[in-house]
Amino acid sequence: DAGVLVCRPGEDTPGTFAVALKGGHNAEHHNHNDVGSYVVVCNGETVLLDPGAEVYTARTFSKRRYESKVLNSYGHPVPIAGGQLQRPGGMARGTFLQTHFTDGQDSVVIDLKPAYALNTLTRLERTFVYDRKGTGSLTVKDAVVCSRPETFETALVTLGDWHRVNPNEIIVWSSGQTLAVTIDAGGASYEIVAE
């Protein structure tokens, strides 16, 4: 039900770059709306992350649960499609459309469309490709189609710091571990906003 995949470097790989990827659905026990989220670990340090749990209050276990930016999808590295966050509930499911696992590379394609209540959304698929070559890498590719123009956002979540190196690359670092993040929007204009 959780749809979790953990990818680690190979025994003969010099890197210590590992990731965890999540499909699942938004009605799990102690649920967060986080279908399609991921974490990235370098040398034991979580550089890109899921923020985890908040301090629980009465609101946490009420109808107002998803007002929290930590529990709703805003606080997770998942898309915001047409200005909409993921919806809660078991119908908001990430279905694995494809999986391919080898000694050198793992890849999965997850259908995220059911997690969103956006009427114009006709396709939203997230592809993860974890590569064990060299020090390791993760590619996250979102394929989105709407019946009319819509905004599209995604997030990188870190407790560390970051710096924009050039228009298509940022560096993220935390506790001495550094990641290079390359952005390819297919020629479309975009902006990077820190919050």
PDB file of all heavy atoms in Angstrom, residues 167-180:
ATOM      1  N   PRO A 167      21.493  29.905 -14.428  1.00  0.00           N
ATOM      2  CA  PRO A 167      20.031  29.842 -14.602  1.00  0.00           C
ATOM      3  C   PRO A 167      19.421  28.450 -14.464  1.00  0.00           C
ATOM      4  O   PRO A 167      18.261  28.330 -14.085  1.00  0.00           O
ATOM      5  CB  PRO A 167      19.831  30.388 -16.021  1.00  0.00           C
ATOM      6  CG  PRO A 167      20.984  31.300 -16.238  1.00  0.00           C
ATOM      7  CD  PRO A 167      22.134  30.640 -15.526  1.00  0.00           C
ATOM      8  N   ASN A 168      20.188  27.393 -14.724  1.00  0.00           N
ATOM      9  CA  ASN A 168      19.623  26.041 -14.697  1.00  0.00           C
ATOM     10  C   ASN A 168      20.226  25.135 -13.633  1.00  0.00           C
ATOM     11  O   ASN A 168      20.034  23.921 -13.683  1.00  0.00           O
ATOM     12  CB  ASN A 168      19.793  25.376 -16.069  1.00  0.00           C
ATOM     13  CG  ASN A 168      19.037  26.129 -17.142  1.00  0.00           C
ATOM     14  OD1 ASN A 168      17.947  26.617 -16.909  1.00  0.00           O
ATOM     15  ND2 ASN A 168      19.639  26.237 -18.308  1.00  0.00           N
ATOM     16  N   GLU A 169      20.960  25.702 -12.686  1.00  0.00           N
ATOM     17  CA  GLU A 169      21.597  24.839 -11.683  1.00  0.00           C
ATOM     18  C   GLU A 169      21.642  25.522 -10.324  1.00  0.00           C
ATOM     19  O   GLU A 169      21.946  26.709 -10.216  1.00  0.00           O
ATOM     20  CB  GLU A 169      23.020  24.477 -12.114  1.00  0.00           C
ATOM     21  CG  GLU A 169      23.684  23.486 -11.196  1.00  0.00           C
ATOM     22  CD  GLU A 169      25.056  23.055 -11.693  1.00  0.00           C
ATOM     23  OE1 GLU A 169      25.538  23.598 -12.701  1.00  0.00           O
ATOM     24  OE2 GLU A 169      25.641  22.164 -11.057  1.00  0.00           O
ATOM     25  N   ILE A 170      21.324  24.736  -9.299  1.00  0.00           N
ATOM     26  CA  ILE A 170      21.504  25.191  -7.935  1.00  0.00           C
ATOM     27  C   ILE A 170      22.344  24.154  -7.193  1.00  0.00           C
ATOM     28  O   ILE A 170      22.412  22.995  -7.582  1.00  0.00           O
ATOM     29  CB  ILE A 170      20.165  25.431  -7.198  1.00  0.00           C
ATOM     30  CG1 ILE A 170      19.362  24.145  -7.059  1.00  0.00           C
ATOM     31  CG2 ILE A 170      19.338  26.497  -7.882  1.00  0.00           C
ATOM     32  CD1 ILE A 170      18.135  24.292  -6.172  1.00  0.00           C
ATOM     33  N   ILE A 171      22.988  24.613  -6.142  1.00  0.00           N
ATOM     34  CA  ILE A 171      23.742  23.750  -5.247  1.00  0.00           C
ATOM     35  C   ILE A 171      23.010  23.741  -3.909  1.00  0.00           C
ATOM     36  O   ILE A 171      22.615  24.795  -3.402  1.00  0.00           O
ATOM     37  CB  ILE A 171      25.188  24.270  -5.057  1.00  0.00           C
ATOM     38  CG1 ILE A 171      25.925  24.331  -6.390  1.00  0.00           C
ATOM     39  CG2 ILE A 171      25.941  23.431  -4.035  1.00  0.00           C
ATOM     40  CD1 ILE A 171      26.167  23.003  -7.038  1.00  0.00           C
ATOM     41  N   VAL A 172      22.795  22.563  -3.357  1.00  0.00           N
ATOM     42  CA  VAL A 172      22.153  22.410  -2.054  1.00  0.00           C
ATOM     43  C   VAL A 172      23.149  21.719  -1.139  1.00  0.00           C
ATOM     44  O   VAL A 172      23.759  20.724  -1.534  1.00  0.00           O
ATOM     45  CB  VAL A 172      20.860  21.549  -2.157  1.00  0.00           C
ATOM     46  CG1 VAL A 172      20.194  21.424  -0.799  1.00  0.00           C
ATOM     47  CG2 VAL A 172      19.902  22.123  -3.186  1.00  0.00           C
ATOM     48  N   TRP A 173      23.336  22.246   0.093  1.00  0.00           N
ATOM     49  CA  TRP A 173      24.251  21.603   1.007  1.00  0.00           C
ATOM     50  C   TRP A 173      23.671  21.577   2.417  1.00  0.00           C
ATOM     51  O   TRP A 173      22.903  22.437   2.809  1.00  0.00           O
ATOM     52  CB  TRP A 173      25.630  22.250   0.975  1.00  0.00           C
ATOM     53  CG  TRP A 173      25.693  23.658   1.486  1.00  0.00           C
ATOM     54  CD1 TRP A 173      25.988  24.054   2.765  1.00  0.00           C
ATOM     55  CD2 TRP A 173      25.470  24.857   0.740  1.00  0.00           C
ATOM     56  NE1 TRP A 173      25.951  25.434   2.847  1.00  0.00           N
ATOM     57  CE2 TRP A 173      25.641  25.949   1.616  1.00  0.00           C
ATOM     58  CE3 TRP A 173      25.141  25.117  -0.588  1.00  0.00           C
ATOM     59  CZ2 TRP A 173      25.495  27.268   1.217  1.00  0.00           C
ATOM     60  CZ3 TRP A 173      24.980  26.428  -0.986  1.00  0.00           C
ATOM     61  CH2 TRP A 173      25.164  27.490  -0.097  1.00  0.00           C
ATOM     62  N   SER A 174      24.056  20.522   3.137  1.00  0.00           N
ATOM     63  CA  SER A 174      23.599  20.331   4.510  1.00  0.00           C
ATOM     64  C   SER A 174      24.615  19.472   5.237  1.00  0.00           C
ATOM     65  O   SER A 174      25.011  18.414   4.730  1.00  0.00           O
ATOM     66  CB  SER A 174      22.227  19.652   4.507  1.00  0.00           C
ATOM     67  OG  SER A 174      21.754  19.468   5.823  1.00  0.00           O
ATOM     68  N   SER A 175      25.082  19.929   6.394  1.00  0.00           N
ATOM     69  CA  SER A 175      26.028  19.192   7.244  1.00  0.00           C
ATOM     70  C   SER A 175      27.221  18.662   6.456  1.00  0.00           C
ATOM     71  O   SER A 175      27.629  17.509   6.601  1.00  0.00           O
ATOM     72  CB  SER A 175      25.314  18.044   7.955  1.00  0.00           C
ATOM     73  OG  SER A 175      24.311  18.546   8.798  1.00  0.00           O
ATOM     74  N   GLY A 176      27.770  19.507   5.583  1.00  0.00           N
ATOM     75  CA  GLY A 176      28.966  19.147   4.836  1.00  0.00           C
ATOM     76  C   GLY A 176      28.742  18.327   3.580  1.00  0.00           C
ATOM     77  O   GLY A 176      29.695  18.002   2.886  1.00  0.00           O
ATOM     78  N   GLN A 177      27.504  17.983   3.275  1.00  0.00           N
ATOM     79  CA  GLN A 177      27.194  17.219   2.060  1.00  0.00           C
ATOM     80  C   GLN A 177      26.560  18.150   1.037  1.00  0.00           C
ATOM     81  O   GLN A 177      25.703  18.959   1.385  1.00  0.00           O
ATOM     82  CB  GLN A 177      26.267  16.053   2.377  1.00  0.00           C
ATOM     83  CG  GLN A 177      26.856  15.078   3.368  1.00  0.00           C
ATOM     84  CD  GLN A 177      28.201  14.537   2.930  1.00  0.00           C
ATOM     85  OE1 GLN A 177      28.377  14.110   1.798  1.00  0.00           O
ATOM     86  NE2 GLN A 177      29.171  14.567   3.839  1.00  0.00           N
ATOM     87  N   THR A 178      26.984  18.030  -0.221  1.00  0.00           N
ATOM     88  CA  THR A 178      26.546  18.942  -1.273  1.00  0.00           C
ATOM     89  C   THR A 178      25.972  18.174  -2.449  1.00  0.00           C
ATOM     90  O   THR A 178      26.511  17.141  -2.852  1.00  0.00           O
ATOM     91  CB  THR A 178      27.732  19.801  -1.757  1.00  0.00           C
ATOM     92  OG1 THR A 178      28.297  20.478  -0.627  1.00  0.00           O
ATOM     93  CG2 THR A 178      27.291  20.824  -2.784  1.00  0.00           C
ATOM     94  N   LEU A 179      24.869  18.706  -2.995  1.00  0.00           N
ATOM     95  CA  LEU A 179      24.241  18.160  -4.201  1.00  0.00           C
ATOM     96  C   LEU A 179      24.168  19.238  -5.263  1.00  0.00           C
ATOM     97  O   LEU A 179      23.876  20.397  -4.957  1.00  0.00           O
ATOM     98  CB  LEU A 179      22.805  17.722  -3.913  1.00  0.00           C
ATOM     99  CG  LEU A 179      22.542  16.525  -3.047  1.00  0.00           C
ATOM    100  CD1 LEU A 179      21.038  16.355  -2.863  1.00  0.00           C
ATOM    101  CD2 LEU A 179      23.125  15.286  -3.669  1.00  0.00           C
ATOM    102  N   ALA A 180      24.383  18.854  -6.504  1.00  0.00           N
ATOM    103  CA  ALA A 180      24.128  19.743  -7.637  1.00  0.00           C
ATOM    104  C   ALA A 180      22.764  19.358  -8.204  1.00  0.00           C
ATOM    105  O   ALA A 180      22.486  18.181  -8.430  1.00  0.00           O
ATOM    106  CB  ALA A 180      25.207  19.587  -8.692  1.00  0.00           C
TER     107      ALA A 180
END
